[in-house]
Structures are given as C-alpha cells and as structure tokens.
Amino acid sequence: MGDAVTLLYKHLLACPACAGEIVFQPGTASCASCGHVFRKTDARDQWDLRLAVPRARTVIYQLGGPPMAPTNLFEKLPPNPVGEMRDWSAIDPQLIYGNRLTPELITYFPKAQSSDDWMLDLGCGIRNFETICKEVTGFNYIGVDYEGEGPDALADAHALPFKDNSFDFIISIAVLEHLAFPDVAIEEAFRVLKPGGIFIGTVAFLEPFHMDSYYHMTHLGTARTLEHAGFEIVAMAPNTEWSGTRAQAEMTLFPGLPRFAKRHMTSGVTPLSKGMWAFRRLLHKGERTANMRRLVETTGGYRFVVQHPMSQTGAQV
Ligand SMILES: [Zn+2]
C-alpha cells in the first residue's frame, strides 16, 4: 500500500518523543526511530501528534544571576517603526477583544519571503486568527492545539511534533497561562522557530483563573521565561485596554449578564483609580507612583514581541 497521505506540511514534522521521522500510512503513522504510533482523528485531515506515552524533559536553569530587569517594556505597545499600520476599523471585534490582537501588535507580523515559508498558530483553538495571519503575512499557516476540531493537528506545546527551525513566525494568543510547564513550551517555540524568526503572543496577568489556567505572569516573569529560552525582547507592554478590573468583571464577577452590562458594572473603577494615582504622584514623585507602575500593578495581561536571534542557539544548550 503506497503512502496516500498528502499533508502539505509533512516535511516539517518530527516525532514529539524522539525527533525521529514520522512515516505516514492512511489512518495511522509511526516514528521510524522509536516506534511511537500516531492516529488520525475523526476531524478533517487531522492527525493526533500528541505524546502517546509520557516522556522526561530536562530544563537547565542558571542560578545566581542578577535580578530581572525589564527590557523594551512600554506603557503601551508602540507600532513597529518599520511595519505597516493599516486602517483596522473594519477588523472583526472578536480578534481584538480582551487579551487578543491589537492593530499595533499586527504591525510586527513578519512577511513571507517565499511560498514555502510557514507560520505556526500555537494554541489555535477555532482558528480565529488564521485569516488575518495569512492576509497580513503571506505565510502558509498551521494551527495546532491540544484538543478540538479546529487544529490542523493535535499537538502538545511541551513536545511539538516539528523539526528544529521549521517556522518563520509563531503566534500564541492567550495560551501560555494554560500550560503546565510554560518554560518548556517556550523552549519548544524557540527550537522550532528559525534564527531571525518572530514570536508574538499574549499572556494573562490579573485575569481570573479560567479554563484550567496554571500560571498567570507578570512582566518580569514573562520576560524572564522568554529570555531564558534564548529570545530577545523586541517590545512588551501591559494591555492598557484590558485592566485586571475589566477582566474580572467580564470573565467572572457577574455571570449571566451580557458583556456590555458586565463592563458597565465596574466602568467607573479605572478612572477613579487613575485619579488617585495622579493625586499620589503630586504628593510623592518617583518610580513607585509612575504611570508604568500603575499599569504593571493593574493590567489584565501582557503582549509581547520577541525574536529568535540570528546567531544564537538557545541560552541553556
Ligand atoms: Zn520517535
């Protein structure tokens, strides 16, 4: 029986257990090196490339270093100086709701250089961002997630089924807080991204516990985790439209109300708080009263743009 499987991205795949070659047959696949067996799911052309049995993974930490100093942290994410700021007035509001995309973040999307360049949507869910990613970047798109019918393939972010240096661009919107071992997942993103490649994402901070979230990160935690994997921080910012108060109001405090009503319930809090901070700033000048301090203490989440350096292979290898 010949190999009738015509996955467009088959050349990018590798065994998530041992990095060996995956050999596909209709309906089943296996690793040529370790024998790990993978199956096709009931969804259209979707393969289950998650680990079928647990595996060990070592992460090496350098202890004793200086405390984290945030680099390229902005009060509000500036547009990419060499990017294109389009008119996004017609953008689907669902794409920019909460801790998702913003017009500024989209200006950092890289552009495909050839028709064989690929991007990965890590934790793609129902593929909300596929259309805008393809339209803006021109990349071939792969979406993976741990479950659901939307992903091209089911995959575990802690053990991605891709070869090293497979992608030019990775996007991961509101996903990292849902991972049991975010350091491992970010190392995996670094591994499958090409040198020079861009990783764009958002992560929860003061959002409530939601959808079995594990780690909600501060700006220091986000930066440290990304830099530990080897990434350089291009730009990072608190989500100024999505305060912790608003996130709490819309995600948990008032179940059953429509979204506009939930938002209205606490809409006076942020202006009042800003006023108090401004008053405190009049009395006491300094870092503790700065607007950046207010933002990092109150934001619902962070957005980041990082780059895999051109000439470096991982900080810890
Ligand atoms: Zn294997």
Side-chain angles (χ1 to χ4, degrees):
M1 181 165 55
D3 181 357
V5 179
T6 54
L7 285 177
L8 292 174
Y9 54 89
K10 199 159 62 171
H11 62 293
L12 301 176
L13 293 173
C15 172
C18 79
E21 187 192 350
I22 301 178
V23 180
F24 285 88
Q25 301 288 340
T28 182
S30 60
C31 172
S33 299
C34 72
H36 218 86
V37 174
F38 307 96
R39 306 229 174 263
K40 208 162 183 289
T41 73
D42 294 335
R44 46 137 207 122
D45 287 334
Q46 187 191 61
W47 285 83
D48 182 353
L49 301 177
R50 298 174 297 187
L51 289 170
V53 291
R55 59 168 270 212
R57 163 92 187 210
T58 303
V59 179
I60 297 173
Y61 297 99
Q62 289 288 338
L63 308 180
M68 186 79 218
T71 51
N72 294 327
L73 176 70
F74 298 92
E75 289 186 11
K76 182 174 171 54
L77 196 81
N80 183 356
V82 295
E84 179 192 355
M85 192 70 168
R86 301 192 197 175
D87 174 13
W88 292 110
S89 52
I91 194 170
D92 176 357
Q94 276 303 315
L95 299 187
I96 52 175
Y97 173 73
N99 203 25
R100 298 181 189 160
L101 291 176
T102 67
E104 292 78 16
L105 209 47
I106 294 165
T107 64
Y108 290 89
F109 281 17
K111 302 269 192 275
Q113 302 298 309
S114 89
S115 60
D116 196 34
D117 288 348
W118 288 81
M119 69 161 290
L120 175 65
D121 187 344
L122 186 58
C124 68
I126 57 170
R127 308 170 81 91
N128 277 329
F129 306 108
E130 178 180 17
T131 302
I132 197 163
C133 283
K134 284 180 173 170
E135 183 195 312
V136 173
T137 69
F139 286 120
N140 299 292
Y141 171 100
I142 300 177
V144 298
D145 211 319
Y146 196 72
E147 55 194 9
E149 294 195 350
D152 291 299
L154 300 184
D156 186 335
H158 303 98
L160 289 173
F162 299 109
K163 294 176 183 166
D164 296 358
N165 307 326
S166 289
F167 299 100
D168 293 272
F169 178 37
I170 298 178
I171 191 169
S172 186
I173 301 298
V175 172
L176 296 178
E177 67 263 27
H178 298 287
L179 301 176
F181 307 106
D183 283 37
V184 171
I186 291 172
E187 283 191 0
E188 280 290 272
F190 188 87
R191 180 182 68 76
V192 303
L193 195 61
K194 294 178 189 171
I198 296 290
F199 177 25
I200 287 178
T202 68
V203 61
F205 174 44
L206 290 181
E207 288 184 355
F209 171 77
H210 64 284
M211 291 170 63
D212 294 340
S213 51
Y214 285 77
Y215 294 101
H216 292 214
M217 287 197 248
T218 68
H219 56 302
L220 297 182
T222 307
R224 192 209 64 86
T225 308
L226 289 162
E227 290 189 340
H228 174 257
F231 286 110
E232 286 175 353
I233 294 172
V234 176
M236 208 171 88
N239 187 333
T240 46
E241 300 85 36
W242 186 243
S243 67
T245 307
R246 185 176 166 196
Q248 292 283 336
E250 296 187 32
M251 293 174 74
T252 193
L253 289 178
F254 310 110
L257 286 184
R259 187 184 284 170
F260 76 90
K262 291 178 181 175
R263 187 175 182 183
H264 184 71
M265 298 290 276
T266 58
S267 58
V269 172
T270 295
L272 186 62
S273 171
K274 275 185 184 174
M276 300 287 288
W277 273 76
F279 182 64
R280 192 167 74 154
R281 204 169 297 132
L282 284 177
L283 300 179
H284 313 282
K285 291 250 181 296
E287 192 266 338
R288 277 190 55 75
T289 60
N291 193 48
M292 177 67 93
R293 185 74 185 197
R294 182 183 68 81
L295 290 168
V296 301
E297 289 187 11
T298 59
T299 188
Y302 287 92
R303 34 186 73 130
F304 62 82
V305 180
V306 297
Q307 185 165 31
H308 185 136
M310 281 294 186
S311 57
Q312 191 190 327
T313 56
Q316 68 289 336
V317 178

